[in-house]
Amino acid sequence: MSSLRIHPAIGIARVGSSEEYYLGPESLAGMPIAGQQITGGLPIKPGTDSATITSADLRDASGKLKRQAARFRIYQYGDGAAAYPAGAATEVVIGSQVDGKQVADIAWTVHLANKKANCWEMEGPQEGIDGYRNGAVPPLRNPGFAGSDDPADADRLRKLVIDAGPRALKASQRTTVRFDSATVASYWGTEPAAPLALPDYPQSFPASAAGGAAMAGSDPITTLGAMTTEVNGRLIVLGAYGLACGFDQQGNQAPSAALDHDVDNDNWLDDTADGPVTAMLIFSDGSTRPVPGSAWVVSTDPAYAPQTMNAVSLWDDVYTTWVEQLQLDPTLNEGGAYRPSFQPNFGDDVFPMLRAASLQRWNTNLSQTGIKAHANIDKLTETPPTFNFMSFIREPGAAQSETGAPLMPLSLGDAGSSFLTLSTAQYFFLQQWVAGKCVGAPRRALGEGEALDKAILFNCLGGRFSPGIDLTFIVRDVNLYRQDWHDPAVGPFRVNMEALDYTRATRAQPFLGVGYTPLRTAPVQPGDLCKFMAIPWHTDYNSCATHAPSPNPGGALSESNVYGGVVNTTLFWSWPAQRPVAVYTFEDLAANQGQLPQQRYSLRGEGTAAQLQAGEGFNAPAMNVGRYQDRRGILLNWDKIGVLMQGPAIEGYDPSYPPDYYLEVGSLFPRDDSNLVEPWPNAVTDKTYPPRNG
């Protein structure tokens, strides 16, 4: 009997303010540009497999930012599916033959939840995975809420967890089912006629009733998204609308709740979510077959620069974990040791890092010298470089310099690290390339489903998990995953999903509990992946423009040691590929007759100017550029931020302009009220200036 799996193993949807949507990128970004061909990494148009969107597709007719949907497919594997790569696989759609039976329909079930407000803090002395070692956990968010510091307390679970419950649909009916408070929960059993309704499922939408003094930026959350299908039976999952909601100590909506932190804001909810995706095939003879290779969907922040890649992607972190700890590829790594004989493929394993570094010049305020150097990185080939390339690469785990430069990547590091490092697998690939091992190396062919697994995570942020944008440090914990991946019905990269028994659901008790805790063996429940992210996500996005290193090699910033020259006062970027800092706008380029104009801050407009006010003493205004000075500003304006796209994808792009420009389009900020973008390096004590043409 053939094996069945849903792909991608982990899918990514993104919130938006519009009812409309486009599909997330399903290709690997960063391949060489040929003529005016658009590189991979762009989202694609609904109902297509490869038609990339243009700038005209970003917003709906009213100007609202469209949501990015996640698409799931089912693949049929043969006998070789116990290895990775498993090789060729055939997509299963309505009308396909599976073991001699015709597929008449596909029944899908998805369960979305958000547990952020009942999770542990992300910032503190023990950030990241270290906070969970030796049986410890960090401090709890919303301490003392409902009179309890036990995350398993039933009242905390009711008032701090958003649980829409499961939803089910039959692909052939082409309906849209919403994860909202007005829709009855449902799931598929074994009968093909109709899903089983769960009228007594304890759906939970805390603080969803309007109340308290009105304040813009706090909105009741009554939905976590929706799902629908394509005509061939593929599943489409949409996230929600990018809302945040303040609440009081009784769990009632309180729009005036304090918003004092970048990552851990007590008394706040947001409408990101995650949960399992399962399926059942319905055959023409009335019989059914469940698909055991279940998947997971995560709904997270918008992608404002979908084509400019991260030096360390989410795929790099997941792949490194699987290679080093779960024996994914013994020809590469066996017993935790990399094989010196391994030959990386330049296009698959090395070039994406070079392309990612090269593209940073479109998202950051590099100097002209830096721009030229980054552009030249893109020209290297599988032939080893003639200079000492590795002398410019920061070694994972090595002591980090106080200056950061000239070591790459030139951006801020993970929890406990001042500067970003490549994953150990990436670093090994570079070493092998420099040693000449890439010349003539073959590709490792991935099946269509396996290529989707990689492409989805490749287009997401890795490396700097503090906590990040899409997923965070938990992707390095083997307990997050099913470790019986050699089973042909399972495969790698699958979340260790808890078997949810919906027959026990009752209104009297919350259905979801604490669920997954890092470095423990408890299986994963809906809401367990996004709960380790910032709450609300908006404030972290706002903050992560430029910062001095933290931890700072010379000690914490203060007025005395900054002006005394002890600490590193240089400003570095947090997530430049995912969270653009300084951009060239298409509007400015056109006005400048195709010549690159001065840059603007991606996040700009009223409320973003960083200025030293009289009587404030040490304020280091340059440290606060490119963000709202009052965090509430991002709650109101996140959907006005423009999107970076390659020139040929921009409506009205002059074909005489270079095809490899990446420019901001679709910004709704009416004017630039922020600060003048100055070339790097910048220091926290630098003066700030208004834009010359603001």
Side-chain angles (χ1 to χ4, degrees), residues 576-619:
Q578 204 87 354
R579 197 285 194 200
V581 177
V583 299
Y584 303 96
T585 75
F586 172 58
E587 183 179 23
D588 286 342
L589 181 82
N592 207 32
Q593 297 180 332
Q595 299 298 311
L596 284 178
Q598 88 177 51
Q599 288 181 300
R600 300 182 187 271
Y601 286 109
S602 171
L603 214 167
R604 57 188 184 272
E606 186 178 356
T608 61
Q611 298 176 350
L612 181 61
Q613 303 297 322
E616 288 187 346
F618 173 65
N619 188 37

Side-chain angles (χ1 to χ4, degrees), residues 37-78:
Q37 180 180 355
I38 300 171
T39 60
L42 265 183
I44 57 181
K45 298 181 180 181
T48 72
D49 281 342
S50 59
T52 54
I53 65 170
T54 69
S55 59
D57 299 311
L58 295 173
R59 298 184 180 277
D60 63 20
S62 67
K64 292 183 178 180
L65 187 68
K66 293 183 183 179
R67 292 176 286 175
Q68 176 183 297
R71 177 161 61 179
F72 293 89
R73 320 178 194 202
I74 299 171
Y75 283 87
Q76 180 177 199
Y77 287 84

Side-chain angles (χ1 to χ4, degrees), residues 338-558:
Y338 285 97
R339 290 181 172 272
S341 60
F342 183 82
Q343 289 186 276
N345 177 268
F346 180 79
D348 291 339
D349 302 321
V350 175
F351 182 74
M353 288 182 268
L354 307 180
R355 169 54 60 89
S358 177
L359 292 181
Q360 301 308 297
R361 67 191 192 273
W362 301 106
N363 305 60
T364 59
N365 54 318
L366 285 172
S367 65
Q368 287 301 311
T369 300
I371 289 172
K372 292 178 182 178
H374 281 69
N376 287 334
I377 292 175
D378 206 42
K379 300 174 184 177
L380 296 171
T381 67
E382 70 174 21
T383 303
T386 56
F387 60 97
N388 188 358
F389 184 89
M390 298 305 295
S391 67
F392 293 96
I393 306 301
R394 188 174 293 109
E395 183 178 357
Q400 298 191 356
S401 71
E402 292 192 10
T403 61
L407 297 179
M408 300 287 130
L410 193 61
S411 55
L412 296 170
D414 207 350
S417 299
S418 302
F419 302 105
L420 182 64
T421 66
L422 301 173
S423 74
T424 47
Q426 288 179 292
Y427 192 80
F428 172 74
F429 291 151
L430 287 181
Q431 288 179 312
Q432 295 297 89
W433 169 55
V434 168
K437 296 294 182 68
C438 283
V439 178
R443 299 193 67 181
R444 296 186 300 284
L446 299 178
E448 287 185 16
E450 294 167 328
L452 277 175
D453 291 345
K454 180 177 180 178
I456 299 304
L457 301 181
F458 185 83
N459 284 287
C460 297
L461 171 74
R464 177 169 164 78
F465 290 143
S466 54
I469 286 184
D470 309 302
L471 288 174
T472 188
F473 61 87
I474 60 173
V475 302
R476 299 172 183 152
D477 178 18
V478 296
N479 297 288
L480 181 69
Y481 306 106
R482 287 193 63 171
Q483 298 180 33
D484 57 342
W485 68 271
H486 284 292
D487 183 337
V490 179
F493 316 123
R494 307 268 161 194
V495 172
N496 184 30
M497 181 183 79
E498 179 175 322
L500 300 172
D501 181 6
Y502 292 119
T503 63
R504 68 175 180 83
T506 171
R507 290 186 183 274
Q509 187 70 20
F511 184 79
L512 301 178
V514 175
Y516 164 79
T517 305
L519 304 182
R520 277 55 156 194
T521 57
V524 184
Q525 294 183 350
D528 277 348
L529 271 63
C530 73
K531 74 182 181 185
F532 295 96
M533 306 301 292
I535 182 168
W537 65 265
H538 317 66
T539 54
D540 197 27
Y541 187 95
N542 181 63
S543 169
C544 285
T546 58
H547 292 277
S550 178
N552 197 301
L557 290 172
S558 70

Side-chain angles (χ1 to χ4, degrees), residues 312-329 332-333 336 338 353 396 421-429 457 463 475-478 481 493:
V312 185
S313 72
L314 187 58
W315 167 258
D316 293 315
D317 273 303
V318 171
Y319 184 69
T320 299
T321 298
W322 276 79
V323 163
E324 294 183 353
Q325 302 183 57
L326 292 169
Q327 296 77 53
L328 182 70
D329 185 356
L332 168 60
N333 185 297
Y338 285 97
M353 288 182 268
T421 66
L422 301 173
S423 74
T424 47
Q426 288 179 292
Y427 192 80
F428 172 74
F429 291 151
L457 301 181
V475 302
R476 299 172 183 152
D477 178 18
V478 296
Y481 306 106
F493 316 123

